[in-house]
Amino acid sequence: MKRRLIHILIAVLFVVAPFGTACAAGFQQHLVQKGETLSEIAQKYKVPLKSIIQANSLKSAHRIRTGRTLRIPGEALTFEDIWYKVQPGDTLFSIGHRHNIEWRDLQRINGISSPRSLQIGRMIRISERGPGFGKPLRVPLVVTSKYGYRPHPVTGRYQHHAGIDFRAAIGTRVYAAKAGRVIFAGRRGGYGKIVGIEHEGNFTTWYGHLSRIRVKVGQTVSQGRVIGLSGNTGISTGPHLHFEIRYKGRSEKPTKYITIP
């Protein structure tokens, strides 16, 4: 009798359990309900449609059997799951349709003032679960040196500038552009005093020429936390903040990820 009651209890728990439950590391389970579509499931979990298709080896996004248990990716999104590079002819509507996200959400996530102001080559976030970058300064962003090749302001040599320089008086607070873990905090060559933060998705951000550092290696920081004060240390012609975004160790153009007026 006792064994029978246990079996009944297990069956009841299975029936009333939430449709989205934890399973293997990095995944959740979802039991497909009658009339439910794959697009609706993707929107519910805020996961790219193609990630669910790949995780379950589905041949079609239009046919899904009621009662099937799907694996819903919950961690370790790839770069392509999070970012999309704007191509000629793209609109927010076409990008949203392709990646199963409302165009108004794309506009909000990326801080786009006008849907018609899409710049070819710009990186658009197509998932709210990915690494969105905030601004490293709370003062108006004034660029004093852009990303790319330029004559070095001190040596005069034509070389690649791996980040972007913002005007910042000595002592201006510098903020973490994204939550992460501090991987460097100290002096490094021409950067002077610099902080490096590791983020999810193989991204790192770097903040150079600081006057003071307020974090330590190994420390976890939230987005918007003060990590130091701007300065003029290292090889520098005047007070400013040198800011870099790197993906898999390679520098990226910061304006792909943050909006500068």
Side-chain angles (χ1 to χ4, degrees), residues 3-19:
R3 182 177 297 176
R4 184 180 178 186
L5 287 174
I6 292 174
H7 288 167
I8 293 173
L9 179 60
I10 292 173
V12 170
L13 287 174
F14 178 80
V15 171
V16 301
F19 296 132

Side-chain angles (χ1 to χ4, degrees), residues 30 32 35-44 47-50 52-53 56 58 60-64 70 72 100:
H30 178 86
V32 179
E36 207 169 29
T37 67
L38 210 56
S39 294
E40 291 171 344
I41 296 171
Q43 289 178 349
K44 175 180 179 179
V47 174
L49 181 62
K50 66 178 182 179
I52 298 180
I53 294 174
N56 295 275
L58 300 177
S60 172
H62 305 291
R63 299 178 62 183
I64 186 72
L70 295 176
I72 309 297
N100 193 45

Side-chain angles (χ1 to χ4, degrees), residues 79 133 147 149 160-163 183 191 197 199 201-206 242-254 256-257:
F79 180 86
F133 293 96
Y147 175 89
Y149 282 92
H160 188 261
H161 186 219
I183 56 174
Y191 287 108
I197 303 176
H199 312 285
N202 294 312
F203 282 92
T204 57
T205 51
W206 297 83
H242 174 83
F243 176 65
E244 293 184 16
I245 295 178
R246 300 180 188 175
Y247 174 64
K248 291 186 176 180
R250 299 186 63 176
S251 67
E252 293 276 320
K253 190 175 183 179
K256 288 183 178 180
Y257 304 97

